[in-house]
Amino acid sequence: MRIDIITVLPELLKSPFEASILKRSIEKGLVEVHFHNLRDYTTNKYKTVDDYQFGGGAGMVMMIEPIDKCISKLQSQREYNEIIYMTPDGNRLNQQIANEISLKENIIILCGHYKGVDQRVRDNFITREISIGDYVLSGGELGAAVLCDTVIRLIPGVLNDETSALTDSFQDNLLAPPVYTRPAEYKGWKVPEILLSGNLPEIENWREQQAYKRTQERRPDLLDK
């Protein structure tokens, strides 16, 4: 997979990709991540990427011209499956969306800023709009990093145990069950006996029951799906 991220703050985005599984996935050649500074596509000496909005009102708007030039240049080099815009009014990111995007070969992520982008960008370039929650950030960079993390970990070979991602919360509209590790007893707090039994069918049955119970208690809305 190749991910091209368009941003006015590439330095803010780079650090998550220099550690943990994101770094390993890049080093293994499983994913390419490229950062494109939108200011490099401006035509004025001040490298301005925003302007006042027509009709008046508070807040600046990202201009269409530098975004068009950046996207058009990338599209001249390869075909993209998705051009994603990170925005608070997009579809809320969930596991299903992450699963879908992880199957793509080439994607562009546009990070919004200020009051957002000129609507003509959204109308003519964007194929999918994504939000990471019902709140507003200073820009789309942190949201883009979250999206990349959720997607990249699903790519085969990124995780040491590929089945791990299949048992994560939300994969089957259930939250993950409780998990334990050594020691089996600590300060009188014991691990459930079933997990020490070695009876794999019973252990899986227990985990399914616990997952359902936790979902019912914490996210009953998921069970409606």
Side-chain angles (χ1 to χ4, degrees):
M1 169 181 276
R2 178 187 171 107
I3 302 174
D4 288 278
I5 304 177
I6 302 174
T7 170
V8 294
L9 292 173
E11 62 276 9
L12 177 62
L13 257 173
K14 290 180 179 180
S15 60
F17 298 90
E18 296 172 350
S20 189
I21 64 170
L22 298 183
K23 179 181 179 181
R24 293 201 303 271
S25 66
I26 294 172
E27 291 176 341
K28 288 181 179 179
L30 299 173
V31 63
E32 292 181 44
V33 181
H34 301 271
F35 305 97
H36 305 274
N37 191 332
L38 195 58
R39 298 189 189 280
D40 295 336
Y41 295 86
T42 56
T43 56
N44 61 81
K45 64 179 181 179
Y46 301 108
K47 295 188 176 296
T48 305
V49 297
D50 62 306
D51 206 339
Y52 296 103
Q53 55 181 310
F54 284 123
M60 305 293 280
V61 178
M62 295 178 71
M63 296 185 293
I64 187 171
E65 185 177 10
I67 297 174
D68 176 20
K69 287 184 175 181
C70 184
I71 292 177
S72 295
K73 179 179 179 180
L74 292 172
Q75 288 180 320
S76 71
Q77 298 169 347
R78 67 190 55 81
E79 183 176 346
Y80 286 89
N81 309 104
E82 294 273 13
I83 301 178
I84 300 168
Y85 174 48
M86 303 304 301
T87 173
D89 60 350
N91 293 325
R92 190 184 299 179
L93 178 62
N94 58 29
Q95 195 62 48
Q96 180 181 351
I97 291 175
N99 290 343
E100 292 172 4
I101 296 176
S102 72
L103 300 176
K104 308 297 183 181
E105 184 176 356
N106 300 310
I107 66 172
I108 293 173
I109 302 176
L110 173 62
C111 300
H113 249 274
Y114 314 114
K115 201 68 176 178
V117 301
D118 188 303
Q119 181 62 37
R120 290 168 292 183
V121 172
R122 302 172 75 166
D123 293 340
N124 295 287
F125 294 105
I126 303 303
T127 63
R128 189 189 290 255
E129 300 184 346
I130 294 179
S131 165
I132 63 168
D134 295 341
Y135 47 86
V136 178
L137 298 171
S138 298
E141 284 77 14
L142 297 180
V146 169
L147 174 61
C148 288
D149 191 290
T150 63
V151 168
I152 290 174
R153 67 189 308 277
L154 297 172
I155 297 174
V158 171
L159 298 180
N160 292 330
D161 183 354
E162 293 183 11
T163 63
S164 176
L166 300 178
T167 57
D168 285 341
S169 291
F170 307 111
Q171 282 290 13
D172 51 4
N173 286 328
L174 292 175
L175 300 181
V179 292
Y180 301 86
T181 188
R182 295 181 178 84
E185 182 175 351
Y186 180 74
K187 292 186 176 181
W189 305 323
K190 297 181 179 180
V191 171
E193 288 294 330
I194 183 64
L195 297 178
L196 308 176
S197 68
N199 188 329
L200 295 183
E202 288 299 318
I203 290 174
E204 286 306 308
N205 183 56
W206 179 87
R207 284 175 171 160
E208 289 178 9
Q209 292 177 358
Q210 292 296 313
Y212 184 87
K213 178 181 178 182
R214 177 170 284 187
T215 306
Q216 192 172 45
E217 293 173 348
R218 301 185 181 192
R219 289 291 305 277
D221 60 293
L222 293 174
L223 299 178
D224 296 336
K225 301 177 182 180

